[in-house]
Amino acid sequence: PPQLVPGRHAISFTKTDSLGRNQLGMLDLRTLQSSTLAPALVGRVIHSWTRNGFVLMGKGNSIYALKPGKAATWKKVAEMIQPDLQSLSTYVVSPRGDKVILISPLMPTLQQALRDSIQAGRPVADVIRNLRRGGATAVAGYDLAEGGILAVADDRATHGTLADAIDIIRFDTGLHPTSYDARMALGSALRKSGDTAGAVVAYRKSLEFNPRNTAGEKKDAEDAEKAIAEMSGH
């Protein structure tokens, strides 16, 4: 959410991009002119202000601070050890400036963990390899919501490589072995990569798992059958 900037008739906000290279911006409420204040923590959007002009942002189990115009590097100012405070956002500072309200999911999402690793410059293949090596233990502490994981794959197909996307989707099929959505996504990615044989197998598997109860599921099944026919030449 936008925040009031201390000492100014202005609000701050986060300008985001798909790669997490976000910027903190400011809108002057008198002139309606906007400007850039500072880079945000990579991959994060929620921020708050202290009364003396520091911006706070949370990442992982830590809180970071930066004073726009005075420093260009975020400094860690607090670190939490509680198991339910491992994916922090600094939501708002109290009017007296002596407390900060934090929000943190009970279980951080695997989607965010993947994004953080990618945004830190780690190759996707290495990230997936380490998760596979760790087995069930490596993902036990994460929310494994499939939509978010597939969204990361979609981002990599657009802003990275199809190989990255395929690695992530294959990993997701292991986490959700009866998901027809994952098989549809895999079929689409493999088809784009030129692996028509693999795409046909993935699409056929999606048809096995698709219950075809809703209009959306029936449409997906039709799309899968059409793709199989096109790639099979009939």
Side-chain angles (χ1 to χ4, degrees), residues 11-12 14 35 38 46 51 62 65 67 92 97 100 124 133 137 161 180 182 197 207 217 229:
I11 57 172
S12 58
T14 312
S35 58
I46 297 177
R51 291 194 303 172
S62 300
K67 193 163 191 176
V92 67
V100 58
V124 169
R133 187 180 297 128
T137 303
T161 68
Y180 90 85
L207 291 171
E217 290 167 350

Side-chain angles (χ1 to χ4, degrees), residues 206-222:
S206 78
L207 291 171
E208 289 181 28
F209 297 136
N210 189 335
R212 308 188 199 200
N213 291 325
T214 67
E217 290 167 350
K218 291 174 183 176
K219 176 63 166 58
D220 286 339
E222 291 173 4

